[in-house]
Amino acid sequence: MKQTIKKYLLLLVSPLLMVGCRSAWSQGESRLINEAAYSRMRVTTIACEADSLLLRTVCSPLTRKHIEAPEFGRLVASMIETVMDPENEGVGIAAPQVGILKRVVLVDTGDEILELINPELIETSGEQTGLEGCLSVPGKYGIVTRPMIAKVRAQDREGNWYEAEGEELTARCFCHELDHLDGIVYTEKMERFLTEEELEEL
C-alpha cells in the first residue's frame, strides 16, 4: 500500500501540472493549498464554529481550469498525506474537510486511491448498518445505515466521466464523502454515538 501511494504521489507531480497557466482557484484557496505544499493539512472539525459552518456548505464543481492548474495536484497530494497520516488514518477524505469548498474526494478502496472529481451517486442497493467515524468528528463513532453497494460517476483528470462501484466499506465511504460535498456530516444521519464503554471494546 505504501509503495502504491508513493507511486501515486510521483504521478501527481507531473510536467502537465507544472505548466504555467492562469489559475481558476481563488487567492484564499491557492494560499491554503500552497501553504500545505504536499504535506498534511489542517482538518476542519465540527467542534469549531467557523469550521462547522464551512462543513455545512454545499461545494462548487471543479472546472477544467481548476484541474489543470498546479493547485489541483498539490491539493490531492496533500489530501492523501492528510488521510494517511497515522493520527488521521482513514479510508476517505473530501476537500471541505481541509477547507476547500470544491467537489473532489479521495477514497482508498484497499487496492487503489480513487480520485473522484465532481462525483455523483448514481445507483445504490442493499443496506448495511454499522460503525462510522469521521476526521471532522474526532474521537467519536456512530451507528449509521448506508447502502451495501454504491456506484458513483465522476470525472478524471482528462475531464472524462467514468463509473466506480464499491461494496461494504467502500460503498459506505462513497456515501459518506459525497455527503460532505453537499454540506452533510454523518452525525446528521446516525442513529446514535457509541458510548465510552462500547468504544473501549473496539
Side-chain angles (χ1 to χ4, degrees):
M1 176 60 73
K2 295 292 184 183
Q3 291 181 340
T4 301
I5 293 169
K6 287 180 180 179
K7 289 179 181 178
Y8 188 84
L9 287 171
L10 288 172
L11 288 173
L12 286 172
V13 191
S14 66
L16 176 62
L17 289 174
M18 296 298 109
V19 173
C21 62
R22 185 173 181 178
S23 179
W25 298 83
S26 71
Q27 288 186 344
E29 292 168 334
S30 293
R31 183 173 61 253
L32 187 60
I33 294 168
N34 291 329
E35 283 176 355
Y38 305 102
S39 62
R40 174 181 169 182
M41 302 178 81
R42 187 184 79 83
V43 176
T44 55
T45 72
I46 62 171
C48 170
E49 184 176 355
D51 285 358
S52 185
L53 289 173
L54 184 147
L55 285 166
R56 288 173 169 81
T57 301
V58 177
C59 297
S60 303
L62 279 80
T63 65
R64 180 70 180 175
K65 284 187 176 181
H66 283 116
I67 300 169
E68 290 180 342
E71 286 92 337
F72 184 71
R74 294 172 191 150
L75 172 63
V76 173
S78 297
M79 286 172 67
I80 291 174
E81 288 289 338
T82 303
V83 76
M84 297 305 295
D85 186 281
E87 293 185 15
N88 284 342
E89 194 166 359
V91 292
I93 191 169
Q97 291 182 275
V98 291
I100 303 297
L101 295 176
K102 290 291 186 288
R103 301 188 78 83
V104 55
V105 306
L106 304 179
V107 173
D108 183 357
T109 67
D111 297 319
E112 61 180 326
I113 297 178
L114 288 178
E115 183 179 308
L116 305 171
I117 303 169
N118 298 325
E120 305 169 357
L121 188 63
I122 59 172
E123 188 178 330
T124 63
S125 62
E127 186 176 278
Q128 57 173 317
T129 298
L131 192 68
E132 196 160 315
C134 180
L135 299 181
S136 295
V137 190
K140 299 283 189 178
Y141 294 89
I143 302 298
V144 187
T145 297
R146 298 282 192 184
M148 179 60 75
I149 300 172
K151 181 183 289 186
V152 296
R153 181 173 179 263
Q155 287 177 285
D156 62 20
R157 295 268 183 121
E158 304 302 316
N160 300 312
W161 289 92
Y162 72 98
E163 295 180 0
E165 184 174 287
E167 300 180 1
E168 299 180 339
L169 181 58
T170 298
R172 180 178 292 278
C173 192
F174 281 161
C175 296
H176 178 113
E177 301 305 338
L178 267 64
D179 271 353
H180 273 303
L181 303 184
D182 291 325
I184 301 169
V185 180
Y186 88 92
T187 53
E188 298 171 43
K189 294 187 172 182
M190 73 176 186
E191 297 175 13
R192 64 180 178 85
F193 276 126
L194 267 67
T195 65
E196 291 185 9
E197 290 76 15
E198 288 173 317
L199 287 174
E200 290 177 358
E201 294 175 1
L202 293 179

